[in-house]
Amino acid sequence: MKGIVFTEFLDLVEEKFGLEMVDKIISQSELESDGIYTSIGTYSFSEMLQLLENLSSNTGVSIDDLLLIYAEHFFSVLKESYSGLLESFNDPIEMLSSIENHIHVEVRKIYPDAELPTFIVESRTDTSLVMIYKSNRAMHHFGLGLMNKTFEHFNSSATIILEKIKEDGTEVKFIINKN
């Protein structure tokens, strides 16, 4: 997992819960990196899982809710750093349906060894989208949060239904209907 995901996560934890919480969750985790991350480094997903689990147990906020909060934060980072990419789309359905064939292609140019989830578009209209998320990491709520922020970015809204295809969350169907 790319280091930017870790550095931004720890920035969010500091912003929302304080520097002591950052120290606490790092100390409570058994991290090969010792909690020292660079945005261009690559780190084990198990480290992110430990940080999320410890943050959840210390705050009482579920991991799914933490991933939603984190996605909102991460979208603002993407918006600031890669505004040109966002501006190349006219609406949220167009953007979300282009994750695999456009956005991930651009991400791989910056981070060639990034391990990205797969998004398969099952159906698309001007106002709806059905996509399958596949990943060996159950971070579908992070994806859900990014989708919510995508609609917000385009001054729009949607109803997004998440259906787990695999109980462990590594395969999920997103049913998106623009309001």
Side-chain angles (χ1 to χ4, degrees):
M1 182 171 258
K2 295 313 294 181
I4 189 171
V5 178
F6 289 88
T7 58
E8 290 301 331
F9 178 73
L10 294 176
D11 285 351
L12 171 74
V13 173
E14 181 179 354
E15 177 186 308
K16 296 280 187 195
F17 302 103
L19 189 54
E20 287 109 21
M21 184 62 74
V22 173
D23 289 337
K24 189 173 188 175
I25 65 172
I26 289 173
S27 297
Q28 291 174 335
S29 302
E30 294 178 18
L31 306 173
E32 189 176 315
S33 69
D34 294 324
I36 301 167
Y37 303 104
T38 65
S39 61
I40 58 170
T42 302
Y43 307 93
S44 170
F45 175 65
S46 69
E47 292 197 21
M48 178 57 73
L49 199 52
Q50 289 180 67
L51 294 169
L52 280 164
E53 288 170 349
N54 286 321
L55 183 59
S56 178
S57 68
N58 283 300
T59 62
V61 179
S62 73
I63 290 175
D64 286 346
D65 285 345
L66 289 171
L67 286 170
L68 282 170
I69 293 165
Y70 179 41
E72 292 178 3
H73 169 82
F74 201 78
F75 189 89
S76 67
V77 171
L78 296 174
K79 190 174 178 178
E80 186 176 308
S81 301
Y82 305 103
S83 60
L85 181 62
L86 297 176
E87 291 168 7
S88 66
F89 297 100
N90 295 316
D91 84 7
I93 298 285
E94 175 193 16
M95 184 172 161
L96 293 174
S97 66
S98 298
I99 291 171
E100 198 63 36
N101 297 322
H102 186 78
I103 295 171
H104 281 178
V105 170
E106 296 301 316
V107 170
R108 283 193 178 89
K109 288 178 185 176
I110 301 165
Y111 302 107
D113 60 342
E115 296 176 16
L116 302 170
T118 301
F119 287 90
I120 301 163
V121 175
E122 283 197 334
S123 64
R124 175 186 169 191
T125 69
D126 289 342
T127 59
S128 68
L129 181 64
V130 177
M131 292 192 309
I132 304 296
Y133 161 97
K134 292 183 180 184
S135 176
N136 57 356
R137 299 173 177 100
M139 290 190 54
H140 50 278
H141 273 80
F142 183 76
L144 177 61
L146 290 174
M147 290 177 193
N148 288 332
K149 292 302 280 185
T150 298
F151 277 91
E152 187 179 304
H153 172 75
F154 287 101
N155 297 315
S156 186
S157 64
T159 302
I160 303 175
I161 299 168
L162 183 151
E163 292 179 358
K164 285 187 179 178
I165 296 170
K166 291 188 176 176
E167 196 52 44
D168 66 358
T170 57
E171 194 168 332
V172 171
K173 180 185 281 192
F174 288 103
I175 303 165
I176 304 163
N177 289 296
K178 191 174 178 182
N179 296 331

